[in-house]
Amino acid sequence: MLPRIVISFLLSIVAVSGLATNRALLVGIGKYDRTVTGWNVIHGDNDIALLKPLLEKRGFKDIVCLTNEKATKKEIVKSLKTLAERCETGDKVYFHFSGHGQPIRDDNHDEGATKKYDESIIPYDACRDSRRMNGTYSGQYHLIDDELNPLLDAIKRKLGGNGELFVVVDACFSRGIQKDEITEIDPELLRYIRGTDHAFTPRGRISVKRPKDFTPGAKLTVVTACKESERNIEYKAPSGKMYGSLSYYISILLKSDADFARWRQCFNDKSYLNRGIFQSIQHPSIEVFP
């Protein structure tokens, strides 16, 4: 009787592992409404069109895409929450954001005494400064890193120790850059910088809780297109189309596999340096949370 129980148990493990699903949430904004929000048009939507079919070829069955006017803060947050609800133990999840980024005043002081700003990604409805919306915009549509933390943590917990969560942010959180560092860059490319050195200062205080440390669960990898003090400049592909530099590099990785462990090694080894995709002024960063 015992061997049958053991065999049945082992078969159940195999069956459960076979149910693991590859899921992705892709957010890309290119056509910001400059009149309303003040943000320049870029090509974040091109990134999604590039990556979606490659993810499908790599076995991602559950793919949700939010582009341009569909990528409001409300919809991004809602999609992250529903993604967490759909996730099962052992799933592999890829979250991608392509758009503008901006530092924003740190009102809950979680960044420490020397750092006065949080990072934020810019949904379709976020404004560049508080003069927008008839002078009433106070940063409520910025998606701050403190707000992203619990949303990603919920996915991380749901995936369990055998799952994986890979996050790519193809935006910049620039706080300025020396002029002489950009004089050698093609002026056409300088039109498409994904962010600003203008830090957002809200009118009044933004009420966001201090984020907690990530809880144990799936391995979480976060890759950004540049460091917080740098600008993220788009890449002109051989086809003539413009893409985010990090998004284009991810597309190259996807053409080989969707092995997140190998991807981490590529970023740790800086294998992207011989590709000519990233400008010398920007340095992709990687963080891993067990």
Side-chain angles (χ1 to χ4, degrees):
M1 187 68 177
L2 184 60
R4 288 185 180 179
I5 295 174
V6 172
I7 291 172
S8 177
F9 176 70
L10 291 174
L11 287 175
S12 69
I13 293 176
V14 172
V16 171
S17 65
L19 294 175
T21 302
N22 293 349
R23 308 179 192 273
L25 173 59
L26 310 179
V27 181
I29 310 165
K31 298 177 178 63
Y32 287 91
D33 188 335
R34 184 173 184 179
T35 302
V36 174
T37 66
W39 290 106
N40 291 338
V41 169
I42 49 175
H43 299 91
D45 45 351
N46 283 359
D47 298 350
I48 307 311
L50 175 68
L51 295 173
K52 184 176 184 287
L54 294 173
L55 286 164
E56 290 173 336
K57 288 181 180 179
R58 292 298 161 202
F60 282 75
K61 304 297 184 183
D62 176 5
I63 303 178
V64 174
C65 299
L66 299 175
T67 56
N68 296 321
E69 68 275 4
K70 295 180 181 179
T72 62
K73 180 178 180 178
K74 180 180 178 180
E75 287 303 314
I76 296 172
V77 170
K78 177 182 175 182
S79 295
L80 284 167
K81 288 180 176 179
T82 56
L83 174 59
E85 292 170 0
R86 294 196 306 276
C87 284
E88 301 288 345
T89 300
D91 286 352
K92 176 186 287 188
V93 175
Y94 178 80
F95 172 54
H96 188 104
F97 177 83
S98 283
H100 283 299
Q102 185 179 34
I104 184 170
R105 191 182 66 204
D106 174 26
D107 280 350
N108 62 19
H109 307 296
D110 69 303
E111 298 289 346
T114 60
K115 187 177 176 184
K116 299 180 180 179
Y117 296 94
D118 283 302
E119 285 80 38
S120 69
I121 58 177
I122 305 300
Y124 179 79
D125 49 350
C127 298
R128 189 176 183 274
D129 57 62
S130 58
R131 293 172 297 177
R132 303 289 165 171
M133 294 173 54
N134 295 320
T136 64
Y137 185 68
S138 58
Q140 64 268 32
Y141 300 131
H142 280 60
L143 187 47
I144 304 171
D145 55 0
D146 296 352
E147 298 172 296
L148 272 174
N149 175 282
L151 295 169
L152 296 177
D153 193 55
I155 298 172
K156 188 178 187 297
R157 287 198 313 270
K158 195 75 178 293
L159 296 176
N162 293 325
E164 286 191 272
L165 173 57
F166 202 98
V167 176
V168 171
V169 180
D170 201 343
C172 75
F173 310 111
S174 174
R175 294 192 196 171
I177 197 167
Q178 295 301 317
K179 262 189 176 180
D180 58 358
E181 292 181 301
I182 63 175
T183 53
E184 299 302 319
I185 298 175
D186 185 340
E188 180 186 5
L189 299 181
L190 291 177
R191 294 172 54 198
Y192 302 115
I193 295 175
R194 294 193 171 187
T196 176
D197 55 5
H198 166 73
F200 186 88
T201 303
R203 293 178 181 272
R205 293 183 62 82
I206 294 180
S207 179
V208 177
K209 292 182 179 179
R210 286 191 178 198
K212 298 179 181 178
D213 292 337
F214 286 112
T215 53
K219 179 173 286 187
L220 165 61
T221 305
V222 180
V223 176
T224 59
C226 58
K227 295 179 181 179
E228 66 181 36
S229 60
E230 299 173 341
R231 295 187 184 185
N232 176 20
I233 298 174
E234 292 191 344
Y235 172 71
K236 188 173 184 178
S239 65
K241 284 191 174 183
M242 301 291 292
Y243 298 101
S245 50
L246 179 55
S247 299
Y248 195 80
Y249 182 63
I250 292 291
S251 76
I252 292 174
L253 296 179
L254 271 171
K255 288 176 182 177
S256 296
D257 55 51
D259 182 350
F260 292 165
R262 186 184 76 87
W263 291 14
R264 283 190 292 272
Q265 193 61 48
C266 287
F267 281 101
N268 286 326
D269 293 345
K270 299 182 180 180
S271 301
Y272 49 79
L273 288 177
N274 60 356
R275 296 281 184 173
I277 298 172
F278 296 94
Q279 298 293 330
S280 61
I281 63 169
Q282 68 185 90
H283 302 85
S285 67
I286 179 171
E287 292 182 280
V288 180
F289 304 89

